[in-house]
């Protein structure tokens, strides 16, 4: 089930039904893609792993506005 959404980037966090399994961070696209890397999915073994890794991974990305 979807448990969080990041509107600016069309990202959704999904969690398994038992709440103890893996979580998946999915970047959706709203058009037919020709690049096989989209849409993309990241798997985290648990919510704890997601919470530990995700903020650090986000800081490593380039800003969208080029600043």
């Amino acid at each position: 089930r979807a448990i969080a959404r990041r509107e600016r980037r069309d990202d959704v966090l999904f969690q398994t039904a038992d709440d103890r399994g893996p979580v998946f961070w999915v970047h959706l696209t709203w058009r037919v893609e020709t690049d096989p890397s989209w849409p993309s999915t990241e798997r985290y073994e648990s919510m704890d792993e997601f919470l530990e890794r995700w903020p650090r991974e986000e800081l490593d990305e380039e800003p969208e506005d080029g600043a």
Side-chain angles (χ1 to χ4, degrees), residues 35-50:
D35 182 342
S37 64
W38 300 107
S40 64
T41 303
E42 292 289 327
R43 177 189 169 115
Y44 299 87
E45 292 303 316
S46 66
M47 180 59 77
D48 288 339
E49 180 187 9
F50 170 77

Side-chain angles (χ1 to χ4, degrees), residues 2-67:
I3 59 171
R5 179 172 176 234
R6 186 173 174 193
E7 290 184 42
R8 198 174 118 215
R9 293 194 181 177
D10 298 325
D11 296 332
V12 180
L13 181 66
F14 292 92
Q15 187 170 39
T16 56
D18 68 6
D19 295 336
R20 292 185 309 259
V23 296
F24 301 89
W25 189 247
V26 179
H27 178 82
L28 301 171
T29 60
W30 300 107
R31 62 179 175 228
V32 175
E33 292 292 343
T34 57
D35 182 342
S37 64
W38 300 107
S40 64
T41 303
E42 292 289 327
R43 177 189 169 115
Y44 299 87
E45 292 303 316
S46 66
M47 180 59 77
D48 288 339
E49 180 187 9
F50 170 77
L51 293 171
E52 178 183 317
R53 286 181 44 205
W54 184 76
R56 185 176 64 234
E57 291 170 352
E58 284 294 298
L59 291 173
D60 291 340
E61 288 187 2
E62 293 291 325
E64 282 188 18
D65 62 4

